[in-house]
Amino acid sequence: MLGITDLSTYLAGLALIILLPGPNSLYVVSVAARRGPRSAYRAAAGVLCGDAVLMALSAGGVASLLQASPALFAVVKFAGAGYLTWLAVGLLRGARKLWREGPGGGARTAGAAAVASGDGAEGAGSGAVERPYRRALIVSLLNPKAILFFISFFVQFVDPEYAHPALSFVTLGAWAELFSITYLSLLIFGGTYLAALFRRRKRLTAGLSAGAGAAFLGFAAKLSVSSAG
């Protein structure tokens, strides 16, 4: 069908891959818990647009270029790791602030937790507006391993004899986006369900923010030591 071989295997593998935790899904959950579903869906839109761009670049040969140019791969890799580290610092600073305020801070919980969005030094105490769509989009785009993944995974299910391989890539990408928005929707409504609890218990929120910050640092470290191979 449309030059795709073994669609059922592709869908099963896609489901397993999407279920793996990553910086994008972690950020969407964070936004859902702090700001509600409307803002979380803006973050989800950033994820979907970023993935769409990466899939298009992969189909267009950018993955091959990154593999052939270690210097270019290194530039994109360290830019992505640096941005994830910056987000982690913002999360950890927000967690420390919430912990110091303790359980009696009342309505200020939500405002303090906004620092945990990754605004970093800019957001701390400045009232800077978080832009979930932009942040999620940047996290998606600054991940060269994702480009390499998309082409290495997709190509296994494209019939080399099919006359219109671009159509095959588009179809595979559409399935990937459908799975992603379904999974992110589950995360969003799970996050909003827990939001009231986190707003009442500031130290629980601080622990969550600290854990998320540590996870982002782990993603950054993993990306910084990765190779194009």
Side-chain angles (χ1 to χ4, degrees):
M1 181 183 70
L2 299 176
I4 300 173
T5 62
D6 203 357
L7 179 60
S8 60
T9 299
Y10 168 75
L11 295 178
L14 185 64
L16 291 174
I17 291 164
I18 288 176
L19 287 173
L20 292 174
N24 284 333
S25 58
L26 182 63
Y27 180 65
V28 171
V29 170
S30 173
V31 174
R34 291 179 290 103
R35 295 177 175 269
R38 185 172 181 177
S39 292
Y41 269 110
R42 284 199 287 269
V47 173
L48 296 177
C49 289
D51 285 349
V53 170
L54 294 183
M55 285 185 277
L57 291 174
S58 298
V62 172
S64 299
L65 177 61
L66 288 176
Q67 287 178 313
S69 175
L72 178 59
F73 182 87
V75 168
V76 179
K77 175 179 72 172
F78 287 115
Y83 189 73
L84 288 175
T85 300
W86 183 64
L87 291 177
V89 169
L91 286 162
L92 293 172
R93 291 184 63 183
R96 183 178 66 178
K97 183 175 181 180
L98 285 168
W99 187 267
R100 286 179 173 177
E101 289 178 359
R108 291 189 59 205
T109 299
V115 180
S117 66
D119 285 319
E122 178 187 6
S126 68
V129 177
E130 181 179 4
R131 295 176 175 83
Y133 173 83
R134 186 181 68 179
R135 293 191 183 281
L137 180 65
I138 292 174
V139 170
S140 294
L141 294 178
L142 290 179
N143 187 359
K145 295 294 287 185
I147 303 177
L148 300 176
F149 161 74
F150 280 128
I151 195 169
S152 63
F153 185 62
F154 281 9
V155 74
Q156 299 178 51
F157 301 95
V158 175
D159 184 354
E161 303 298 324
Y162 187 61
H164 307 287
L167 183 58
S168 303
F169 274 97
V170 169
T171 304
L172 293 173
W175 276 110
E177 296 285 58
L178 177 61
F179 274 45
S180 290
I181 190 58
T182 301
Y183 176 58
L184 291 175
S185 293
L186 293 174
L187 295 179
I188 286 169
F189 288 105
T192 52
Y193 178 77
L194 296 173
L197 175 64
F198 292 145
R199 280 195 292 268
R200 290 194 303 268
R201 302 191 178 187
K202 301 185 76 171
R203 288 190 171 175
L204 178 61
T205 307
L208 175 69
S209 296
F216 271 104
L217 286 177
F219 292 134
K222 183 177 180 180
L223 180 58
S224 65
V225 298
S226 65
S227 63

